[in-house]
Amino acid sequence: MWLFDRDLWTEVFHTLGKNMFRTFLTMLGVIFAMIILILLLGSSNGMSNGFDKVFAGTASNSLFVWGQSTSEPYKGFERGRRIRYKIEDAEILKREIPEIEVLAPRIELGSHRSVVTVYRNGQTSGSSVYGDYPEIDNITKKRLVEGRFLNKTDIEHSKKVCVIGEETYKLLFDKGEEAIGEDIRINGVFFSVVGIYKPNNNINIDGENAVFIPFTTFQKAFNSGDRMGWMAIAVEPNTKVPVVESKIKDILKNKYDIHPDDQRAIGSFDMSEIFNNISAFTNVLKGFSFFVGIFTLLAGVIAISNILLITVKERTKEIGVRRALGATPKVVRRQIVVEAIVLTAFAGLIGFAISVGILAILDSLWGSGEDFPFVKPMVSIPQFVISFILMVGLSLLIGMIPANKAVKVRPIEALREE
Amino acid sequence: MIEIKDLHKSYRMGSNSLHVLKGINFKAEDGELVAIMGSSGSGKSTLLNILGMLDVADSGEYTLDDVPIKDLSETKAAQYRNKFLGFIFQSFNLINYKSALENVALPLYYQKVGRKERQEKALSYLEKVGLKEWATHLPSELSGGQKQRVAIARAMAAEPKVLLADEPTGALDSTTSYEVMDLIQKINDEGNTILVVTHEEDIAHMCKRIVHLKDGVIVEDKKIEQVRAQQYV
Ligand SMILES: Nc1ncnc2c1ncn2[C@@H]1O[C@H](COP(=O)(O)OP(=O)(O)O)[C@@H](O)[C@H]1O
Ligand SMILES: [Mg+2]
């Protein structure tokens, strides 16, 4: 097996080592190609990681459902009827659709996206006020900077507690002031602050200026009865969100006498769609990187083969001597091919080292992902292994061109005295 | 050892054909030292190349150590060259980026001799040609005569049955030429068969037999009294 033929390797390294400058020039193409490939791959990984970070804390297989107004008359009802859900709907949906993993009902004070004045010690903020269940945290996770989120006990005992956004904190409190345990007032009711959250990077469903209180507390404090504003729903991992979405709509349409073809009555938003779009985007980016990288690599390997072709010409005499001394065509061919492989592999590793260094620098400069989605730009081991195997495979194929040229050298022509 | 019968060789150049060897009959026994003489262009190299399996004749028979040399594949030819023949060229043909030792070891590498044994053998042959101290030097650091001695060591390293030398002294001054011939004579004294192509009378007379080539045939083939080169060095 030639792979373990130490003499062959010695011979190859010897030949390459004794012609350092030429060897280096030969490798440049592949070094650059590898740098380009790894940088492209690493950057797309960085973007992919960046998006992951943006959406960290948001369940990808989730949807939100709320009520709007009907757009079709049905069963004696006029069009334009407002759909208002009841808290019992949550139970019905959970019971009827086993694919639902988490269902968090929510109610909002005032009309949708309206603000309510929140008071504290003479300071005020216009904030959104939500009645929530702790389960919402499994769908859109709050990054708490202080304290805790709502919990089961809060719900069970309808505790007058709240979690506020950072923006709200800034409006109601002085800089550095302790907020946990302090009371804020909404519509004349006092709530004790138990937590402050910071919004997840870029995705911002609830806004930064918001107050979350337990759903049950909301019902009592603001007299909302059995009303429910909207639902955040996470579906089982292997279930498609649109499937569950249409099941939910069917049940709700049936319950609230909505025309089956009414597209507007029930509002919904499929979170998974965004995730799918983004992962499709990053996959295209990665695929493109590979594509461009592989072709650059091909060009680099062809450059190596080209230079080997030239050196074969230069080395005609040497090859002739070797043939005269007993080198069989196979041995000559093998040596050139192995030279091509060694050059490529070595150049590839150099390029890899350089590009990993560059990626590390990029990472330390922008890798935090604060300004734009770019986190931990690096290549994975499988990506590296695949690139490397491809590269060596290409060099083996393309190395055959100079190798066959070398085999065609006739010793007698090579050795002819002028 | 070597036997050729009715060997013909012509070179085609376009529509013309140059008939270089026109029926050569020749026989060399074990341990002979034969000079092949003739004017430039008489076909000496052509003959030697055919004997060296670097080229093939158009017709005729060639047996080397009772092995018929005929219709060899490139691979077989390479193996036979390695096993049976040692080459010495006018311009030495050392590999310029390999040290003297590595050059000498090369035929042994193609013979798949192990590394250590290869080095040892190569060194002992370098010692034989008096260049042991120069083992690690590159050809560029050696004089012409030294280069040819390295080439001779290389030719002998694989212990071939026949040494073929094409104008081995052609690129050397006369003193150095005699030194090389002295070496060749000593190798021959040990029983090695050697064919030396030359157009120089004095070199030819340091062999034991002179074969004269003219117009593609052997016009003269005589045993001679060997002039020892030792006395001139
Ligand atoms: N490959 C070749 N193609 C055409 N002519 C050749 C070739 N090799 C040698 N010749 C011609 O054949 C003749 C004999 O050449 P060669 O054997 O080299 O002579 P010598 O070695 O005796 O000087 C010369 O005329 C030379 O020009
Ligand atoms: Mg000649």
Side-chain angles (χ1 to χ4, degrees), chain A residues 130-163:
Chain A
Y130 301 112
D132 261 301
Y133 276 88
E135 284 83 358
I136 188 73
D137 216 31
N138 296 328
I139 298 166
T140 59
K141 187 145 193 80
K142 296 270 173 294
R143 281 206 298 178
L144 287 172
V145 282
E146 241 186 285
R148 62 168 178 86
F149 193 65
L150 305 174
N151 62 28
K152 236 174 141 178
T153 328
D154 297 335
I155 294 287
E156 277 164 13
H157 301 288
S158 309
K159 285 194 178 170
K160 286 185 186 159
V161 294
C162 66
V163 173

Short mmCIF file of all heavy atoms in Angstrom, two decimals, chain A residues 130-163:
data_model
loop_
_atom_site.label_atom_id
_atom_site.label_comp_id
_atom_site.label_asym_id
_atom_site.label_seq_id
_atom_site.Cartn_x
_atom_site.Cartn_y
_atom_site.Cartn_z
N TYR A 130 -50.45 43.28 30.35
CA TYR A 130 -50.93 41.96 29.96
C TYR A 130 -51.23 41.11 31.18
O TYR A 130 -50.49 41.14 32.16
CB TYR A 130 -49.86 41.22 29.16
CG TYR A 130 -49.43 41.93 27.89
CD1 TYR A 130 -48.15 42.46 27.77
CD2 TYR A 130 -50.31 42.04 26.81
CE1 TYR A 130 -47.74 43.08 26.60
CE2 TYR A 130 -49.91 42.67 25.63
CZ TYR A 130 -48.62 43.18 25.54
OH TYR A 130 -48.24 43.79 24.39
N GLY A 131 -52.31 40.34 31.07
CA GLY A 131 -52.55 39.27 32.04
C GLY A 131 -52.05 37.99 31.42
O GLY A 131 -52.44 37.64 30.31
N ASP A 132 -51.13 37.32 32.10
CA ASP A 132 -50.48 36.17 31.47
C ASP A 132 -50.42 34.95 32.38
O ASP A 132 -50.55 35.07 33.60
CB ASP A 132 -49.06 36.54 31.07
CG ASP A 132 -48.96 36.88 29.61
OD1 ASP A 132 -49.31 36.00 28.79
OD2 ASP A 132 -48.56 38.03 29.29
N TYR A 133 -50.20 33.80 31.76
CA TYR A 133 -49.89 32.58 32.51
C TYR A 133 -48.38 32.36 32.44
O TYR A 133 -47.75 32.75 31.45
CB TYR A 133 -50.63 31.38 31.90
CG TYR A 133 -52.05 31.26 32.40
CD1 TYR A 133 -53.09 31.91 31.76
CD2 TYR A 133 -52.33 30.49 33.54
CE1 TYR A 133 -54.39 31.81 32.23
CE2 TYR A 133 -53.63 30.39 34.01
CZ TYR A 133 -54.66 31.05 33.36
OH TYR A 133 -55.94 30.95 33.83
N PRO A 134 -47.80 31.72 33.44
CA PRO A 134 -46.34 31.50 33.42
C PRO A 134 -45.89 30.71 32.19
O PRO A 134 -44.75 30.85 31.75
CB PRO A 134 -46.07 30.69 34.69
CG PRO A 134 -47.28 30.82 35.53
CD PRO A 134 -48.44 31.18 34.65
N GLU A 135 -46.80 29.92 31.63
CA GLU A 135 -46.44 29.09 30.47
C GLU A 135 -45.94 29.91 29.28
O GLU A 135 -45.23 29.41 28.42
CB GLU A 135 -47.64 28.24 30.01
CG GLU A 135 -47.93 27.05 30.89
CD GLU A 135 -48.76 27.41 32.12
OE1 GLU A 135 -49.07 28.63 32.31
OE2 GLU A 135 -49.08 26.51 32.91
N ILE A 136 -46.34 31.18 29.23
CA ILE A 136 -45.91 32.03 28.11
C ILE A 136 -44.38 32.04 28.01
O ILE A 136 -43.81 32.18 26.93
CB ILE A 136 -46.46 33.47 28.28
CG1 ILE A 136 -46.19 34.34 27.02
CG2 ILE A 136 -45.85 34.18 29.47
CD1 ILE A 136 -47.04 33.99 25.84
N ASP A 137 -43.76 31.83 29.16
CA ASP A 137 -42.29 31.85 29.19
C ASP A 137 -41.68 30.70 28.39
O ASP A 137 -40.54 30.75 27.98
CB ASP A 137 -41.81 31.78 30.65
CG ASP A 137 -40.57 32.63 30.85
OD1 ASP A 137 -40.43 33.66 30.14
OD2 ASP A 137 -39.73 32.26 31.69
N ASN A 138 -42.48 29.64 28.16
CA ASN A 138 -41.98 28.53 27.34
C ASN A 138 -42.06 28.84 25.86
O ASN A 138 -41.55 28.11 25.03
CB ASN A 138 -42.79 27.26 27.61
CG ASN A 138 -42.61 26.80 29.04
OD1 ASN A 138 -41.54 27.00 29.62
ND2 ASN A 138 -43.65 26.23 29.62
N ILE A 139 -42.77 29.91 25.53
CA ILE A 139 -42.94 30.24 24.11
C ILE A 139 -42.10 31.45 23.74
O ILE A 139 -41.33 31.41 22.79
CB ILE A 139 -44.43 30.44 23.78
CG1 ILE A 139 -45.18 29.13 24.06
CG2 ILE A 139 -44.59 30.85 22.32
CD1 ILE A 139 -46.67 29.27 24.10
N THR A 140 -42.25 32.52 24.48
CA THR A 140 -41.31 33.64 24.30
C THR A 140 -40.65 33.89 25.64
O THR A 140 -41.24 34.43 26.56
CB THR A 140 -42.03 34.93 23.85
OG1 THR A 140 -43.00 35.27 24.83
CG2 THR A 140 -42.69 34.77 22.52
N LYS A 141 -39.42 33.43 25.72
CA LYS A 141 -38.73 33.50 27.00
C LYS A 141 -38.27 34.92 27.28
O LYS A 141 -37.71 35.59 26.43
CB LYS A 141 -37.52 32.56 26.99
CG LYS A 141 -36.85 32.45 28.33
CD LYS A 141 -36.30 31.03 28.56
CE LYS A 141 -35.93 30.81 30.01
NZ LYS A 141 -37.12 30.52 30.86
N LYS A 142 -38.54 35.38 28.52
CA LYS A 142 -38.09 36.71 28.92
C LYS A 142 -36.67 36.61 29.46
O LYS A 142 -36.36 35.71 30.25
CB LYS A 142 -38.99 37.25 30.02
CG LYS A 142 -40.42 37.46 29.55
CD LYS A 142 -40.62 38.85 29.00
CE LYS A 142 -41.99 39.00 28.38
NZ LYS A 142 -42.19 38.16 27.18
N ARG A 143 -35.83 37.54 29.05
CA ARG A 143 -34.48 37.60 29.65
C ARG A 143 -34.57 38.47 30.88
O ARG A 143 -34.63 39.69 30.79
CB ARG A 143 -33.50 38.22 28.66
CG ARG A 143 -33.04 37.26 27.60
CD ARG A 143 -31.68 37.66 27.07
NE ARG A 143 -31.69 38.98 26.43
CZ ARG A 143 -30.61 39.56 25.93
NH1 ARG A 143 -29.45 38.96 26.01
NH2 ARG A 143 -30.69 40.74 25.37
N LEU A 144 -34.58 37.84 32.02
CA LEU A 144 -34.75 38.61 33.25
C LEU A 144 -33.42 39.21 33.67
O LEU A 144 -32.40 38.53 33.69
CB LEU A 144 -35.30 37.70 34.35
CG LEU A 144 -36.78 37.33 34.18
CD1 LEU A 144 -37.18 36.29 35.19
CD2 LEU A 144 -37.67 38.56 34.29
N VAL A 145 -33.44 40.49 33.97
CA VAL A 145 -32.20 41.11 34.46
C VAL A 145 -32.22 41.11 35.99
O VAL A 145 -31.19 41.22 36.63
CB VAL A 145 -32.00 42.54 33.93
CG1 VAL A 145 -31.48 42.48 32.51
CG2 VAL A 145 -33.27 43.35 33.99
N GLU A 146 -33.42 40.98 36.53
CA GLU A 146 -33.54 41.00 37.99
C GLU A 146 -34.81 40.26 38.36
O GLU A 146 -35.79 40.27 37.61
CB GLU A 146 -33.65 42.45 38.48
CG GLU A 146 -32.53 42.89 39.42
CD GLU A 146 -32.81 44.28 39.96
OE1 GLU A 146 -32.63 45.25 39.17
OE2 GLU A 146 -33.20 44.40 41.13
N GLY A 147 -34.82 39.62 39.52
CA GLY A 147 -36.03 38.99 40.04
C GLY A 147 -36.44 37.74 39.28
O GLY A 147 -35.59 37.04 38.74
N ARG A 148 -37.74 37.52 39.20
CA ARG A 148 -38.25 36.29 38.60
C ARG A 148 -39.42 36.61 37.69
O ARG A 148 -39.92 37.74 37.68
CB ARG A 148 -38.69 35.34 39.70
CG ARG A 148 -39.83 35.91 40.56
CD ARG A 148 -40.43 34.84 41.45
NE ARG A 148 -41.48 35.37 42.31
CZ ARG A 148 -42.76 35.50 41.94
NH1 ARG A 148 -43.15 35.18 40.71
NH2 ARG A 148 -43.66 35.97 42.78
N PHE A 149 -39.85 35.56 36.94
CA PHE A 149 -41.05 35.74 36.13
C PHE A 149 -42.26 35.27 36.95
O PHE A 149 -42.12 34.76 38.06
CB PHE A 149 -40.91 34.93 34.83
CG PHE A 149 -41.94 35.29 33.81
CD1 PHE A 149 -41.97 36.57 33.24
CD2 PHE A 149 -42.91 34.37 33.42
CE1 PHE A 149 -42.94 36.90 32.31
CE2 PHE A 149 -43.88 34.71 32.48
CZ PHE A 149 -43.91 35.98 31.92
N LEU A 150 -43.46 35.47 36.41
CA LEU A 150 -44.69 35.02 37.09
C LEU A 150 -44.62 33.51 37.29
O LEU A 150 -44.06 32.80 36.47
CB LEU A 150 -45.91 35.37 36.22
CG LEU A 150 -46.04 36.84 35.82
CD1 LEU A 150 -47.20 37.01 34.84
CD2 LEU A 150 -46.23 37.71 37.06
N ASN A 151 -45.22 33.03 38.39
CA ASN A 151 -45.23 31.57 38.59
C ASN A 151 -46.62 31.06 38.95
O ASN A 151 -47.60 31.83 39.02
CB ASN A 151 -44.18 31.16 39.61
CG ASN A 151 -44.44 31.78 40.97
OD1 ASN A 151 -45.59 32.07 41.32
ND2 ASN A 151 -43.38 32.00 41.74
N LYS A 152 -46.69 29.76 39.19
CA LYS A 152 -47.96 29.08 39.43
C LYS A 152 -48.68 29.64 40.68
O LYS A 152 -49.90 29.83 40.65
CB LYS A 152 -47.67 27.59 39.66
CG LYS A 152 -48.44 26.68 38.70
CD LYS A 152 -47.99 25.24 38.88
CE LYS A 152 -49.18 24.30 38.79
NZ LYS A 152 -48.73 22.91 38.93
N THR A 153 -47.88 29.89 41.71
CA THR A 153 -48.48 30.40 42.95
C THR A 153 -49.14 31.75 42.71
O THR A 153 -50.21 32.02 43.23
CB THR A 153 -47.38 30.56 44.03
OG1 THR A 153 -46.40 29.57 43.82
CG2 THR A 153 -47.97 30.45 45.42
N ASP A 154 -48.49 32.59 41.89
CA ASP A 154 -49.07 33.89 41.57
C ASP A 154 -50.47 33.69 40.98
O ASP A 154 -51.40 34.42 41.30
CB ASP A 154 -48.21 34.63 40.54
CG ASP A 154 -46.82 34.93 41.09
OD1 ASP A 154 -46.68 35.02 42.32
OD2 ASP A 154 -45.89 35.09 40.26
N ILE A 155 -50.58 32.70 40.07
CA ILE A 155 -51.86 32.43 39.42
C ILE A 155 -52.86 31.90 40.45
O ILE A 155 -53.99 32.40 40.55
CB ILE A 155 -51.68 31.40 38.28
CG1 ILE A 155 -50.81 31.99 37.16
CG2 ILE A 155 -53.02 30.91 37.75
CD1 ILE A 155 -51.50 33.03 36.31
N GLU A 156 -52.43 30.90 41.21
CA GLU A 156 -53.35 30.24 42.15
C GLU A 156 -53.91 31.22 43.18
O GLU A 156 -55.08 31.16 43.53
CB GLU A 156 -52.63 29.08 42.85
CG GLU A 156 -52.63 27.81 42.00
CD GLU A 156 -51.63 26.79 42.48
OE1 GLU A 156 -51.11 26.95 43.61
OE2 GLU A 156 -51.34 25.85 41.72
N HIS A 157 -53.05 32.12 43.65
CA HIS A 157 -53.50 33.04 44.69
C HIS A 157 -53.81 34.43 44.16
O HIS A 157 -53.98 35.36 44.93
CB HIS A 157 -52.45 33.12 45.81
CG HIS A 157 -52.17 31.79 46.44
ND1 HIS A 157 -53.07 31.16 47.27
CD2 HIS A 157 -51.14 30.93 46.31
CE1 HIS A 157 -52.58 29.99 47.65
NE2 HIS A 157 -51.40 29.82 47.06
N SER A 158 -53.87 34.53 42.86
CA SER A 158 -54.14 35.83 42.22
C SER A 158 -53.33 36.94 42.88
O SER A 158 -53.85 37.97 43.30
CB SER A 158 -55.64 36.18 42.31
OG SER A 158 -56.40 35.11 41.85
N LYS A 159 -52.03 36.71 42.98
CA LYS A 159 -51.18 37.67 43.67
C LYS A 159 -51.05 38.95 42.87
O LYS A 159 -50.99 38.93 41.64
CB LYS A 159 -49.79 37.07 43.89
CG LYS A 159 -49.77 36.04 44.99
CD LYS A 159 -48.33 35.75 45.37
CE LYS A 159 -48.26 34.76 46.49
NZ LYS A 159 -46.90 34.29 46.71
N LYS A 160 -50.97 40.05 43.59
CA LYS A 160 -50.84 41.34 42.92
C LYS A 160 -49.36 41.62 42.69
O LYS A 160 -48.76 42.46 43.36
CB LYS A 160 -51.49 42.43 43.76
CG LYS A 160 -53.02 42.36 43.69
CD LYS A 160 -53.62 43.52 44.42
CE LYS A 160 -55.13 43.39 44.50
NZ LYS A 160 -55.63 44.22 45.60
N VAL A 161 -48.80 40.88 41.78
CA VAL A 161 -47.38 41.06 41.44
C VAL A 161 -47.28 41.37 39.96
O VAL A 161 -48.22 41.16 39.20
CB VAL A 161 -46.56 39.78 41.77
CG1 VAL A 161 -46.53 39.53 43.27
CG2 VAL A 161 -47.12 38.58 41.03
N CYS A 162 -46.12 41.87 39.57
CA CYS A 162 -45.93 42.15 38.14
C CYS A 162 -44.46 42.03 37.75
O CYS A 162 -43.57 42.14 38.59
CB CYS A 162 -46.45 43.54 37.78
SG CYS A 162 -45.50 44.85 38.55
N VAL A 163 -44.28 41.76 36.47
CA VAL A 163 -42.93 41.77 35.88
C VAL A 163 -42.94 42.90 34.87
O VAL A 163 -43.87 43.00 34.06
CB VAL A 163 -42.62 40.42 35.20
CG1 VAL A 163 -41.31 40.49 34.46
CG2 VAL A 163 -42.61 39.29 36.22
#
